[in-house]
Amino acid sequence: MMKEGWEPFQWKRFFGTCDEVDIHYARDELVEAKYFYNRQQQGLGEQFKHEAEAASRRIIEHSLAWQYEHDPVRRFIFNRFPYKMLYVIREQSIVVVAVAHQHRAPDYWIERIY
């Protein structure tokens, strides 16, 4: 069951159609981080969400601009929060492998790329 606050239609605005992007690996991570930050301070979760959306727009615009985390996975490091968006470019699509905290379980997502 998907939690409120990060429904698929919201991502279509930033990633294009569902045929172009697959975010199912990262959706729960995004929702959990948003709720965590909202518990810390009201509205902080929304700020996290906006930063994730901005990251996704930048990845779409310049998908080859960021370094490899673990070939073929590239990473976009968030500015304000200690998170990174990990993604793979496959043909004409972007697959978001994880939205990972930078200081916790660093390689938990690797099995998702194979």
Side-chain angles (χ1 to χ4, degrees), residues 2-16 18 23 27 31 34 46 49-50 53 56-57:
M2 185 182 301
K3 295 181 182 179
E4 292 181 25
W6 224 300
E7 293 81 16
F9 73 88
Q10 293 172 313
W11 282 95
K12 289 180 186 179
R13 292 185 312 195
F14 302 105
F15 284 119
C18 289
I23 64 159
R27 185 176 290 122
V31 170
K34 178 185 172 193
E46 283 300 314
K49 179 181 173 184
H50 291 302
E53 290 169 343
S56 65
R57 284 191 300 269

Side-chain angles (χ1 to χ4, degrees), residues 20-22 59-60 63 87-90 92-96:
E20 296 173 359
V21 158
D22 180 358
I59 289 169
I60 288 170
S63 59
Y87 64 96
V88 177
I89 302 167
R90 295 209 170 123
Q92 298 298 317
S93 66
I94 295 171
V95 178
V96 178

Side-chain angles (χ1 to χ4, degrees), residues 59-74:
I59 289 169
I60 288 170
E61 292 169 1
H62 308 287
S63 59
L64 298 175
W66 288 278
Q67 294 180 349
Y68 286 108
E69 175 85 5
H70 181 302
D71 196 5
V73 179
R74 293 178 181 267

